[in-house]
Amino acid sequence: MFEVVRPFLRRPGFVLAAAFIAFVVVSGLFPGVFTSYDPTATTPAEKLRGPGLDHLFGTDELGRDLFSRVLHGSTLTIRTTGGAVLIAIVAGLALGVVAGFLGGWIDSLLMRTVDVALALPLLLLALAIVTALGFGMLPMAIAVSVGIMPGFARTTRAEVFRVKGQAYVEAARTGGASWIRVMWRHVLPNSWGPVMVLAILDFGTAVLSISSLSFLGFGAPPPAAEWGTLISSGRNYLVTSPWLSLLPGLFVGLVVFSLNHVARTLEEVRS
């Protein structure tokens, strides 16, 4: 076990990025561990206070603790992002496996459809879908999942083509194993590595997309604390209280940067 972990422990950047992601996940699941402030409790006498020991990120225009709202916003963002990535993985794996195994005109039809989706800007596609489905976290998760799903389909198809030509797959087929058993026991386990790396990368992409949609007003309604909503609310005070948008924005940027760094390191170690 230590031999597996050792290459990662030798990379301080990876350790810091992984630790920060772990903090974000834990704080999203148990925000009360890291802050005692109620994210919805207003204190007008303390409105627009700058960052300090009492309020690490300062307070907003209603006197609410901004650090508490960012941490509680992690719950909504992680839940929505996780749902979007999960839907994209399941749909992408299904399309990639079908296209890779069957080939022929089915492969051509599915991949041309995927190419069309890849040609569309992710945020534009998500905006069109969420406008049709309505506001809320579930419609945003579905909209973003449609935008990132083609990458999983393409990656899975390429891996299925690579793995199904290996000698152990031919040996399993010669031994009488069905294609379903071969796919489940040999192809999918040996195709999962690149998909896992892509999932971590796309998790960061999904965080940006969902925060952007929330910034535009498609997310959870107030007083819910969602990262994009917090950034949007603070833009009215950029001159007098810039921390209202700056600190949540930096937090989102660190999350995305950390996810990308973790994914790149996993890819480097695998290769």
Side-chain angles (χ1 to χ4, degrees), residues 81-96:
T81 304
V85 174
L86 180 61
I87 294 171
I89 289 176
V90 172
L93 281 175
L95 289 176

Side-chain angles (χ1 to χ4, degrees), residues 47 74 150 171 214:
K47 67 178 182 179
S74 302
S214 296

Side-chain angles (χ1 to χ4, degrees), residues 10 32 34 37 51 58 61 63 68 81 87 112 143 158 168 180-181 201 212 241 245-246:
R10 291 176 176 175
F34 300 96
Y37 289 101
E61 69 278 9
S68 176
T81 304
I87 294 171
R112 295 301 79 73
Y168 58 84
I180 294 179
R181 181 178 176 82
L201 278 173
S212 299
S241 307
S245 286
L246 179 62

Side-chain angles (χ1 to χ4, degrees), residues 50 92 99 110 219 267:
L110 291 177
E267 188 175 17

Side-chain angles (χ1 to χ4, degrees), residues 127-134:
L127 275 172
I129 295 173
V130 79
T131 301
L133 295 179

Side-chain angles (χ1 to χ4, degrees), residues 2 38 67 93 118 123 193 224:
F2 182 73
D38 185 343
F67 182 69
L93 281 175
L118 281 172
L123 187 57

Side-chain angles (χ1 to χ4, degrees), residues 58-263:
T59 60
D60 64 8
E61 69 278 9
L62 297 178
R64 296 172 295 192
D65 182 72
L66 188 58
F67 182 69
S68 176
R69 289 180 63 75
V70 169
L71 293 190
H72 282 80
S74 302
T75 305
L76 292 174
T77 302
I78 291 173
R79 185 186 305 164
T80 307
T81 304
V85 174
L86 180 61
I87 294 171
I89 289 176
V90 172
L93 281 175
L95 289 176
V97 168
V98 170
F101 260 96
L102 299 182
W105 67 269
I106 295 179
D107 175 36
S108 298
L109 177 63
L110 291 177
M111 289 303 103
R112 295 301 79 73
T113 305
V114 166
D115 289 342
V116 171
L118 281 172
L120 297 174
L122 171 58
L123 187 57
L124 179 61
L125 180 61
L127 275 172
I129 295 173
V130 79
T131 301
L133 295 179
F135 293 13
M137 307 309 284
L138 180 59
M140 284 202 307
I142 296 173
V144 173
S145 70
V146 173
I148 63 178
M149 178 271 297
F152 289 104
R154 271 288 181 190
T155 302
T156 303
R157 172 184 175 271
E159 288 299 303
V160 168
F161 270 125
R162 180 184 64 83
V163 173
K164 77 174 186 178
Q166 299 295 319
Y168 58 84
V169 174
E170 296 296 332
R173 285 290 295 155
T174 304
S178 65
W179 273 119
I180 294 179
R181 181 178 176 82
V182 169
M183 178 188 68
W184 186 256
R185 293 292 300 274
H186 300 289
V187 176
L188 284 180
N190 289 285
S191 303
W192 181 245
V195 175
M196 179 186 66
V197 173
L198 181 62
I200 298 174
L201 278 173
D202 278 355
F203 204 95
T205 302
V207 167
L208 276 179
S209 299
I210 287 170
S211 297
S212 299
L213 291 173
S214 296
F215 180 87
L216 295 174
F218 292 97
E226 204 278 327
W227 290 344
T229 306
L230 292 177
I231 299 172
S232 177
S233 300
R235 61 182 174 171
N236 296 323
Y237 303 90
L238 285 177
V239 176
T240 57
S241 307
W243 62 85
L244 293 181
S245 286
L246 179 62
L247 293 180
L250 287 175
F251 193 86
V252 174
L254 282 175
V255 170
V256 176
F257 177 80
S258 298
L259 286 168
N260 288 347
H261 189 74
V262 168

